[in-house]
């Protein structure tokens, strides 16, 4: 097509610059000469487990380019088991914030999350993966933001419910507001033993604990799923070392790079494909 030759089922094992105007690409059985080389081998997240994209990174590294550490982005999160116990398979809409070990907000999201047997998944949670900074990060979920935009309205509603259903168990307080299993988890995180209490037993301090558990349901992050489970790779060749107008190397004229081999990854929704 357009004067080019297509070579399939062939691994390029090396690339050298013969002179200032020509590159030589080498395979186990052949070699090719070209005035320009475009490295677009993708990242490990888009490949099958048996594939290997390290050759592209090695070529760029050999020509002096910086390769920033690779990690899975847009990938499910592994969490502590206590906060997700009994919730596997439940999908909810919520707002969430990702905080680091210093309790600083490093990312916000809003949308759906899915509780699994290992943690949380789908877009809202997966968007947070690229921002996780080592150990100690956690999520705080606002489970009632779509119904009660401020604490005053939520507090008033809970007191009305408490008065109406005083002899019933505390999880009844949240019926209609959220899934029954999530309501039970909220009560547990608020410190209730859920062993014989009734709504009449809850004083204003306990109600405040419940409100904080609804607004800031805490889930500790233990890690991310494997690269094979990711939709996108974070990390790669430093974008600052390439001209954005034509993706040509600022270090080696005639060498180009594009796609996921570069250290660029976007939100879910087609941006990474573009």
């Amino acid at each position: 097509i357009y004067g080019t030759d297509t070579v399939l089922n062939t691994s390029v094992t090396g690339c050298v610059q013969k002179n200032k105007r020509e590159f030589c690409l080498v395979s186990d059985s052949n070699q090719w000469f070209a005035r320009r080389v475009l490295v677009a081998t993708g990242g490990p997240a888009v490949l099958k487990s048996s594939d290997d994209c390290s050759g592209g990174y090695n070529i760029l590294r050999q020509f002096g380019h910086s390769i920033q550490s690779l990690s899975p982005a847009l990938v499910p999160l592994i969490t502590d088991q206590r906060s997700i116990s009994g919730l596997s398979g439940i999908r909810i809409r919520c707002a969430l914030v990702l905080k680091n070990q210093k309790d600083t907000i490093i990312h916000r999201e809003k949308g759906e999350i899915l509780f699994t047997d290992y943690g949380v998944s789908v877009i809202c949670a997966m968007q947070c993966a690229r921002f996780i900074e080592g150990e100690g990060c956690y999520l705080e979920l606002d489970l009632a933001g779509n119904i009660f935009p401020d604490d005053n309205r939520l507090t008033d509603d809970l007191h009305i419910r408490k008065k109406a259903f005083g002899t019933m168990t505390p999880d009844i307080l949240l019926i209609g507001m959220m899934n029954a299993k999530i309501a039970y988890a909220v009560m547990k995180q608020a410190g209730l033993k859920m062993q014989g209490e009734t709504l009449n037993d809850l004083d204003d301090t306990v109600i405040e604990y419940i409100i904080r558990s609804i607004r800031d349901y805490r889930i500790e992050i233990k890690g991310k799923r494997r690269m094979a489970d990711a939709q996108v790779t974070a990390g790669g060749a430093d974008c600052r070392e390439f001209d954005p107008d034509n993706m040509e190397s600022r270090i080696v004229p005639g060498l180009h790079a594009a796609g996921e081999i570069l250290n660029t990854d976007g939100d879910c929704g087609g941006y990474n494909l573009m």
Side-chain angles (χ1 to χ4, degrees), residues 54-205:
S54 61
Y57 295 112
N58 291 339
I59 288 172
L60 294 179
R61 188 182 287 111
Q62 142 195 339
F63 282 113
H65 281 283
S66 305
I67 306 299
Q68 294 160 339
S69 59
L70 307 178
S71 64
L74 291 182
V75 69
L77 305 179
I78 301 169
T79 70
D80 70 290
Q81 286 296 307
R82 183 183 180 90
S83 62
I84 64 169
S85 178
L87 303 182
S88 181
I90 297 174
R91 185 186 294 257
I92 62 169
R93 294 190 65 83
C94 66
L96 62 82
V97 295
L98 172 66
K99 293 185 177 181
N100 61 19
Q101 58 269 39
K102 297 180 180 179
D103 300 321
T104 301
I105 295 175
I106 53 180
H107 189 62
R108 295 180 184 270
E109 279 292 337
K110 193 173 184 179
E112 284 192 341
I113 69 166
L114 172 68
F115 292 97
T116 68
D117 57 354
Y118 58 80
V120 288
S121 185
V122 301
I123 294 171
C124 190
M126 292 167 67
Q127 299 265 63
C128 296
R130 68 166 70 87
F131 301 101
I132 293 175
E133 303 170 349
E135 298 181 353
C137 291
Y138 61 94
L139 297 173
E140 285 184 343
L141 279 55
D142 182 353
L143 301 171
N146 291 334
I147 306 173
F148 299 103
D150 61 71
D151 284 358
N152 290 334
R153 291 178 59 184
L154 176 57
T155 302
D156 291 344
D157 188 80
L158 293 187
H159 280 290
I160 292 171
R161 289 169 179 237
K162 176 187 172 183
K163 185 175 181 180
F165 307 112
T167 61
M168 303 182 79
T169 56
D171 53 323
I172 296 298
L173 197 64
L174 307 181
I175 291 297
M177 189 185 304
M178 62 188 66
N179 178 283
K181 291 183 178 180
I182 294 178
Y184 187 88
V186 165
M187 292 297 174
K188 294 290 284 186
Q189 192 166 107
L192 279 74
K193 295 181 179 179
M194 301 298 286
Q195 296 177 352
E197 303 102 328
T198 68
L199 288 177
N200 286 332
D201 298 325
L202 309 185
D203 59 24
D204 288 352
T205 300

Side-chain angles (χ1 to χ4, degrees), residues 201-256:
D201 298 325
L202 309 185
D203 59 24
D204 288 352
T205 300
V206 176
I207 294 293
E208 182 60 31
Y209 288 156
I210 294 170
I211 290 171
R212 293 277 56 85
S213 184
I214 293 170
R215 289 297 195 202
D216 303 314
Y217 188 78
R218 181 166 173 147
I219 301 176
E220 306 285 343
I221 297 173
K222 299 299 182 181
K224 302 186 248 186
R225 294 282 280 183
R226 304 170 304 157
M227 186 72 81
D229 299 317
Q231 296 182 14
V232 177
T233 306
D238 191 335
C239 293
R240 294 171 296 183
E241 297 173 357
F242 294 87
D243 185 342
D245 289 335
N246 56 13
M247 306 315 298
E248 184 173 20
S249 168
R250 300 183 191 275
I251 299 173
V252 181
L255 178 66
H256 302 250

